[in-house]
Amino acid sequence: AQSVSQHNHHVILSEAASLELGCNYSYGGTVNLFWYVQYPGQHLQLLLKYFSGDPLVKGIKGFEAEFIKSKFSFNLRKPSVQWSDTAEYFCAVRSLSSNTGKLIFGQGTTLQVKP
Amino acid sequence: GAVVSQHPSWVICKSGTSVKIECRSLDFQATTMFWYRQFPKQSLMLMATSNEGSKATYEQGVEKDKFLINHASLTLSTLTVTSAHPEDSSFYICSARPVTGTDYGYTFGSGTRLTVV
């Protein structure tokens, strides 16, 4: 079955530490990939997306992600986290073969950054 | 940028009553909107795809007679939870995708917290 898996459910880091959140998907064919962030009490916001081209994608707030097709992965990274990065992070996949445009989300990762 | 307005932001209703949630794209047109349900500390589960001028497409396991979706215009989709029960209490989120222009992804509403008592 098609699915999106985020390995880390809850991550706790100190400020200035580096971050990497894993995301793997199990779709065949061409996909579009997204990372969203949900700050406490707020709606989902797009961090970055990958459609095609350079597999290293840079997003807002210093985040980046690398698409590795052979590993079906799209891991999110940030070299130095801040307390304000405390939030819920969701990886999402859109399969272009389905033509519905629907996004399927991973389980989410709660990031807690300690000051 | 694209903005999606969702209303109400929270609602409390009695068991057995129906509740309507609205999702509006404020500055763009959307032929397709999506409705998600999010349980506490969990991910967004896609409930259905709302298509302007046609029937919604429901995900497996979602009761279409219970969660009525209407997408009457290019800027408005509504989700009605009929005969609500406490187990329907959840956070409902809509998202919309622009009809034209650069495909920059999806814009999400701020969500509706439904509590059925």
Side-chain angles (χ1 to χ4, degrees):
Chain A
Q2 298 174 332
S3 66
V4 181
S5 177
Q6 291 179 239
H7 323 297
N8 320 99
H9 298 295
H10 195 167
V11 174
I12 302 174
L13 295 173
S14 297
E15 275 194 315
S18 64
L19 170 72
E20 179 160 2
L21 302 181
C23 174
N24 285 86
Y25 63 94
S26 62
Y27 286 79
T30 305
V31 295
N32 295 154
L33 299 155
F34 305 79
W35 273 99
Y36 284 89
V37 60
Q38 187 176 33
Y39 297 103
Q42 295 188 28
H43 62 275
L44 283 161
Q45 298 174 40
L46 180 66
L47 272 179
L48 47 80
K49 65 185 186 295
Y50 172 79
F51 286 175
S52 64
D54 189 345
L56 184 60
V57 180
K58 293 192 184 298
I60 61 172
K61 305 186 180 188
F63 287 91
E64 65 177 31
E66 184 176 11
F67 171 51
I68 303 180
K69 189 175 182 180
S70 61
K71 295 185 178 181
F72 298 88
S73 70
F74 190 55
N75 292 355
L76 181 72
R77 300 194 291 250
K78 185 171 184 177
S80 177
V81 295
Q82 300 172 322
W83 176 78
S84 57
D85 293 324
T86 294
E88 191 82 15
Y89 292 82
F90 295 96
C91 177
V93 176
R94 175 174 71 188
S95 172
L96 297 186
S97 60
S98 71
N99 204 32
T100 62
K102 62 184 182 182
L103 275 182
I104 303 300
F105 284 81
Q107 306 94 316
T109 298
T110 301
L111 172 64
Q112 183 181 353
V113 180
K114 294 184 174 181
Chain B
V3 177
V4 170
S5 173
Q6 194 171 335
H7 179 79
S9 56
W10 61 271
V11 58
I12 301 173
C13 71
K14 290 185 176 181
S15 187
T17 61
S18 295
V19 173
K20 180 184 284 188
I21 302 169
E22 292 188 347
C23 180
R24 292 182 185 272
S25 55
L26 296 186
D27 49 3
F28 66 97
Q29 293 183 327
T31 53
T32 305
M33 293 186 178
F34 303 89
W35 287 96
Y36 292 85
R37 184 173 178 176
Q38 186 180 27
F39 292 99
K41 302 295 183 183
Q42 295 188 31
S43 185
L44 285 76
M45 300 300 296
L46 180 65
M47 298 174 65
T49 302
S50 171
N51 304 298
E52 187 267 337
S54 65
K55 292 182 179 180
T57 305
Y58 290 83
E59 294 299 302
Q60 192 173 10
V62 177
E63 298 176 60
K64 59 183 179 182
D65 294 330
K66 180 167 190 60
F67 298 100
L68 299 179
I69 291 173
N70 184 277
H71 194 154
S73 76
L74 286 172
T75 58
L76 174 64
S77 175
T78 60
L79 169 68
T80 301
V81 183
T82 63
S83 187
H85 290 284
E87 58 265 29
D88 299 324
S89 298
S90 190
F91 195 57
Y92 294 87
I93 303 172
C94 71
S95 75
R97 185 181 174 192
V99 172
T100 59
T102 303
D103 188 359
Y104 51 86
Y106 304 76
T107 301
F108 286 80
S110 53
T112 298
R113 174 78 57 196
L114 170 64
T115 303
V116 184
V117 297

